[in-house]
Amino acid sequence: MNKWCLLVVALVLMPNLAYGSIGFTSIVDASEAARPLMLSIWYPSDGDQSDIIGGNAVFRGEYAALDAKVVGKHPLIVLSHGGLRSTKDSGAWLSAALAKAGFIVIEVNAPRPENPAMAVDEIWQRPRDISRALSVILDNAAWADHIDEKKVAVIGFALGGTAALSLAGAELDAERYYESCADAGSIGADCTWFSSHNVALNQVDQDEFEQSRHDRRFTSAVLIAPEYLEAFSIESGMALAPTLLISLGSQEMKTLRLPHVEKKAIDEANRLDAFAVCTESGPQILLEEEGDAALCGTSPEERVRIHALIADMIVSFLARNF
């Protein structure tokens, strides 16, 4: 789908696209002292997009109008980035693109786990954070009037995609999940980190892990290169909310066991393309800091193209399922 097709789809879905500007603000929910959530909010606005959000020396940020007035009423997306050690606003590139298409987008930024022993609980913390963020925004009088509560989606990258699938109604099979890191082909990006600190997946808080995270307020879900797909129970996937899997490469397609999930693959992409576009000096900075220059991809132009494909797929899917 080219840019003009995306524009037509978005205009049908969101007549308020004509505002042509996006705003940004953030709120902090400190109702749980041990796990405060910083919520980054992107939305259609009529402000001057002069502020750069989510950028740093390695990755480009996105332009938005800081604390500008929100204009109109829109569907809502709650977005969760993936990596256990990701920085806040890692999904700014997608949040900005979806806000331009007429959505209000909430990116959930939770505290980074201090060590693998804490991180093993992120499998249930992430979906819990997302549901909590949705409650916070719907209970906020300043935002509630701008949200169409009948059109609420959850989108997640990597472990955030795993969380989105749980919220859509799928459930992890405990034994399959516990053995996930034993399989060399498993999509569990932090298995090596856990293993190097003698942390096993079965050290998760059992009571919390066994609770269903299905949240029926979410009417659709999008998973971008999710982890632990092979550990979900087939039976639990029979009555999912409408769900789209976007595979960056083909690995997720091989491990998806659930029926009734729409699948799209970007064969030429890889999981690192879920990162933002790098700055001109980004690759060199990563090399100097003994990081992985592959985080920047083959070229900025190629990553921009892949990001546009991802946004196109999401907008088209939501247009059909909202």
Side-chain angles (χ1 to χ4, degrees):
M1 185 182 292
N2 61 34
K3 290 181 179 179
W4 293 111
C5 289
L6 173 59
L7 180 61
V8 170
V9 170
L11 281 170
V12 171
L13 180 64
M14 301 293 128
N16 289 327
L17 182 67
Y19 291 118
S21 178
I22 57 174
F24 174 89
T25 193
S26 63
I27 60 177
V28 175
D29 174 45
S31 60
E32 296 185 18
R35 197 171 176 88
L37 298 180
M38 196 278 274
L39 307 181
S40 296
I41 310 175
W42 303 76
Y43 50 92
S45 178
D46 55 5
D48 178 16
Q49 296 181 184
S50 58
D51 299 283
I52 300 178
I53 310 298
N56 54 42
V58 174
F59 295 110
R60 295 181 191 173
E62 298 291 334
Y63 281 97
L66 187 61
D67 296 326
K69 178 182 177 182
V70 60
V71 179
K73 187 170 185 174
H74 310 275
L76 177 67
I77 292 171
V78 185
L79 175 70
S80 175
H81 60 70
L84 295 177
R85 290 158 284 179
S86 296
T87 58
K88 73 181 182 68
D89 294 325
S90 296
W93 63 268
L94 182 57
S95 297
L98 295 174
K100 288 175 184 175
F103 298 89
I104 294 174
V105 184
I106 314 297
E107 182 170 2
V108 183
N109 298 289
R112 294 167 65 179
E114 296 176 7
N115 52 60
M118 294 177 62
V120 76
D121 281 330
E122 291 295 303
I123 191 69
W124 59 264
Q125 290 276 26
R126 293 296 177 93
R128 185 171 175 271
D129 290 343
I130 295 169
S131 285
R132 181 177 149 200
L134 178 57
S135 295
V136 167
I137 205 69
L138 293 181
D139 291 343
N140 186 313
W143 287 100
D145 289 343
H146 295 287
I147 294 169
D148 183 346
E149 294 187 28
K150 295 181 180 180
K151 298 178 179 179
V152 181
V154 56
I155 298 177
F157 299 95
L159 193 62
T162 311
L165 187 52
S166 295
L167 290 159
E171 295 183 4
L172 287 162
D173 177 283
E175 292 306 315
R176 292 183 69 93
Y177 172 68
Y178 297 154
E179 295 299 318
S180 291
C181 282
D183 181 357
S186 171
I187 301 178
D190 293 285
C191 288
T192 301
W193 188 44
F194 287 140
S195 177
S196 66
H197 289 78
N198 296 314
V199 172
L201 296 182
N202 62 6
Q203 292 172 241
V204 66
D205 183 311
Q206 299 288 335
D207 291 338
E208 292 285 359
F209 177 76
E210 291 174 1
Q211 292 186 35
S212 172
R213 300 295 166 182
H214 188 191
D215 190 334
R216 289 176 172 79
R217 295 175 297 177
F218 290 107
T219 59
S220 55
V222 179
L223 332 170
I224 304 170
E227 299 177 1
Y228 304 114
L229 279 179
E230 72 284 2
F232 279 93
S233 162
I234 295 176
E235 292 76 15
S236 70
M238 299 303 291
L240 292 179
T243 299
L244 170 66
L245 166 67
I246 299 177
S247 180
L248 303 181
S250 60
Q251 185 63 35
E252 292 85 10
M253 296 297 189
K254 298 176 183 177
T255 57
L256 178 67
R257 302 169 64 239
L258 298 175
H260 311 308
V261 173
E262 184 175 335
K263 298 176 284 292
K264 298 285 186 181
I266 304 176
D267 292 333
E268 66 275 24
N270 63 65
R271 296 171 65 80
L272 298 180
D273 287 316
F275 285 89
V277 177
C278 280
T279 63
E280 184 175 343
S281 56
Q284 185 61 37
I285 292 172
L286 288 170
L287 288 173
E288 292 172 355
E289 296 182 354
E290 299 184 354
D292 185 358
L295 290 175
C296 289
T298 55
S299 71
E301 293 77 17
E302 176 65 4
R303 183 155 291 177
V304 167
R305 188 186 70 83
I306 290 170
H307 285 180
L309 284 175
I310 293 171
D312 286 355
M313 290 175 178
I314 293 171
V315 171
S316 177
F317 171 77
L318 293 180
R320 288 182 282 107
N321 287 282
F322 269 169

